[in-house]
C-alpha cells in the first residue's frame, strides 16, 4: 500500500488522524494533514483504508 496526499484540498477535519494516528498527523498552524508513513505496514492497512474513505475532502489516495 502506498499513500498519496493532496494537501491543497485538505480541509483539516482530522478524521484521518482519528482513524490512523500512526500514519497521519496534522500541522499545528492550519490543521492540514501530515503523512507520517507513506508506505505503512500491513497491520495499518485497514485503518488507512478507513481514513481514506471517511476523509470529507477526499485527499487520501491509495495505490
Amino acid at each position: 500500500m502506498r499513500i498519496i496526499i493532496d494537501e491543497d484540498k485538505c480541509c483539516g477535519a482530522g478524521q484521518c488522524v482519528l482513524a490512523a494516528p500512526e500514519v497521519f498527523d496534522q500541522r499545528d498552524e492550519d490543521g492540514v494533514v501530515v503523512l507520517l508513513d507513506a508506505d505503512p505496514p500491513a497491520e495499518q492497512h485497514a485503518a488507512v483504508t478507513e481514513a481514506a474513505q471517511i476523509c470529507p475532502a477526499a485527499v487520501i489516495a491509495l495505490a
Side-chain angles (χ1 to χ4, degrees):
M1 169 182 281
R2 187 102 178 115
I3 304 169
I4 302 159
I5 300 291
D6 185 349
E7 290 181 9
D8 293 333
K9 292 185 350 183
C10 181
C11 65
Q15 297 303 306
C16 56
V17 179
L18 294 174
E22 298 84 9
V23 179
F24 302 103
D25 199 356
Q26 291 178 280
R27 294 191 307 222
D28 289 335
E29 61 272 12
D30 58 8
V32 170
V33 64
V34 174
L35 184 58
L36 300 175
D37 189 350
D39 189 14
E43 60 267 11
Q44 294 296 324
H45 289 189
V48 171
T49 300
E50 179 185 355
Q53 292 171 343
I54 64 174
C55 177
V59 303
I60 303 169
L62 306 178

